[in-house]
Amino acid sequence: MTTARGEQQRHESEVDPLGCLREPTDPSCDVFLTGTVFLDIIFTGLDSAPVRGTESWARGMGSSPGGVANMATALARLGLHTSLAAAFGDDHYGEYCWDALEQGEGIDLALSRTVPGWHSPVTVSMAYEGERTMVSHGHEAPDPDGVPVHPPRARAAVASLVPGRPEEWVARAARNGAKVFADVGWDDTGHWDLKGLTDLEHCEAFLPNAAEAMRYTRTDCPRAAARALADKVRYAVVTLGSEGAYAVDGGTGETAEVPAIQVSALDPTGAGDVFVAGFVTGTLADWPLADRLAFAGLTAALSVQEFGGSLSAPTWDEIAAWWQYAQGHTGQDPELLRARYAFLERLLPAPARAWPPRRAVPTIGFRAAPA
């Protein structure tokens, strides 16, 4: 089947942020990543957390591929040729996720596989009061050796580091010339030992949030944490929540800090993935550090106004629509805004839609109308 999202994308303006840099000898893959794909079911519009023994009704609902699909979709929508290696369930959920990513988003799934008899992992996410609660179910995919240890030649790779669990493919990707961008999850062990992140030595950039960065560096200031992390990687980027983000170039000593864009948040699912995708895009395009940071923050801000993770990742058309709207309607200083995001002018297509767009649908898919 072809998704409604895929039909919509065919009518959107295509932007290649790396167009002026591409050479015939370049790898066909811009970014490689691997991980677990979930089916996400997202409820929004809850006034409070569900109460035990009661029934809660949500005002909004969306369904989409989740997990590593959030990052893959965000990269693809920003015009990067994206290759994903993942296991997909041999069920309707898995079929839907595969089709949505390959046909709808143009993601290369040649290194992915469908596992016979294995059901798709599922996450139900409930968003309320600016936060979210998630309940997941799934089993480890059989044949773990199915994840390729020889990633394709690519400009970049994105990895999620786990303390004490090095991934051989990360080292291979770096040796093959890929710039590795890494984030990290919460350390359930409570050790917060930076030496446990052994794959960090292969990384070009590390993008933790403020709490993670301070714990790993034993500092009490996220900016100090970023400076400490810049001794380990070329680019240390620390997200500061509502304050924006701070970055240090460990090679030159340059620093950049960009405030967050104030928006009305519907669902924060996947915003961190979208931020990383924005920073990867700006880095591969060789933009100034502050522009990369601003673009990453903008794409993340746009994403929280939509349902879900992969559903919420913005396209260039939506960025263009925001830019047109923001110059006349934003509550922030228009002069500062124009100065900070002026670099977008050379990239953006003419806006093809009104702002804000709304595209999430509350179901996995409708049957095609009979001919």
Side-chain angles (χ1 to χ4, degrees):
M1 66 179 178
T2 299
T3 64
R5 176 67 198 158
E7 292 293 343
Q8 176 183 327
Q9 277 202 312
R10 291 187 178 89
H11 300 288
E12 292 184 349
S13 301
E14 294 184 3
V15 173
D16 183 359
L18 310 185
C20 63
L21 301 176
R22 296 192 186 280
E23 299 290 343
T25 57
D26 287 344
S28 59
C29 175
D30 290 330
V31 188
F32 169 78
L33 64 166
T34 184
T36 302
V37 174
F38 288 75
L39 172 72
D40 280 358
I41 301 173
I42 307 100
F43 293 98
T44 64
L46 290 164
D47 294 321
S48 61
V51 177
R52 185 174 60 181
T54 68
E55 181 179 17
S56 300
W57 280 81
R59 290 188 292 276
M61 175 186 165
S63 303
S64 66
V68 71
N70 295 340
M71 180 77 72
T73 299
L75 291 163
R77 289 187 181 182
L78 291 177
L80 300 183
H81 305 158
T82 303
S83 173
L84 171 63
F88 287 78
D90 186 23
D91 53 14
H92 290 307
Y93 290 169
E95 180 184 3
Y96 160 72
C97 289
W98 185 293
D99 187 71
L101 296 174
E102 184 179 59
Q103 302 299 321
E105 306 294 348
I107 295 167
D108 180 7
L109 298 181
L111 297 176
S112 293
R113 70 197 194 281
T114 297
V115 181
W118 180 64
H119 74 77
S120 300
V122 177
T123 292
V124 175
S125 175
M126 292 164 283
Y128 53 87
E129 299 174 353
E131 297 293 339
R132 58 177 176 155
T133 296
M134 297 183 293
V135 178
S136 297
H137 173 72
H139 304 282
E140 192 77 22
D143 186 21
D145 293 335
V147 175
V149 294
H150 296 282
R153 194 166 73 93
R155 295 173 185 265
V158 180
S160 186
L161 305 185
V162 178
R165 194 190 302 172
E167 297 280 357
E168 176 60 24
W169 76 263
V170 175
R172 289 183 181 275
R175 287 196 296 269
N176 288 339
K179 296 179 178 180
V180 180
F181 296 75
D183 61 10
V184 68
W186 192 259
D187 186 355
D188 292 329
T189 69
H191 295 157
W192 298 100
D193 182 5
L194 201 58
K195 293 180 181 178
L197 301 179
T198 53
D199 283 334
L200 203 58
E201 65 176 301
H202 307 299
C203 294
E204 174 87 356
F206 185 41
L207 300 95
N209 64 35
E212 295 159 350
M214 289 188 290
R215 282 173 169 80
Y216 272 116
T217 58
R218 306 296 193 268
T219 58
D220 57 5
C221 169
R223 294 162 184 81
R227 292 191 291 271
L229 291 171
D231 291 335
K232 304 291 184 181
V233 294
R234 174 64 189 271
Y235 299 108
V237 182
V238 176
T239 54
L240 309 174
S242 61
E243 295 182 36
Y246 180 82
V248 180
D249 182 335
T252 66
E254 178 188 2
T255 63
E257 184 166 358
V258 176
I261 295 175
Q262 302 304 314
V263 296
S264 297
L266 175 66
D267 177 17
T269 303
D273 294 323
V274 175
F275 182 94
V276 173
F279 191 82
V280 170
T281 301
T283 301
L284 294 184
D286 201 26
W287 298 346
L289 183 60
D291 290 353
R292 303 178 205 178
L293 211 58
F295 185 72
L298 168 62
T299 54
L302 298 185
S303 77
V304 302
Q305 298 181 100
E306 292 279 355
F307 288 100
S310 60
L311 279 176
S312 69
T315 66
W316 284 102
D317 270 6
E318 289 152 1
I319 295 169
W322 169 83
W323 179 232
Q324 183 181 58
Y325 172 86
Q327 293 182 77
H329 298 84
T330 181
Q332 302 180 56
D333 186 319
E335 292 299 324
L336 289 177
L337 192 74
R338 280 193 289 270
R340 177 58 275 160
Y341 292 95
F343 69 92
L344 291 175
E345 292 287 357
R346 69 179 185 274
L347 297 164
L348 294 177
R353 63 181 67 191
W355 177 260
R358 285 288 174 260
R359 60 180 178 273
V361 294
T363 185
I364 289 176
F366 292 102
R367 294 185 181 276

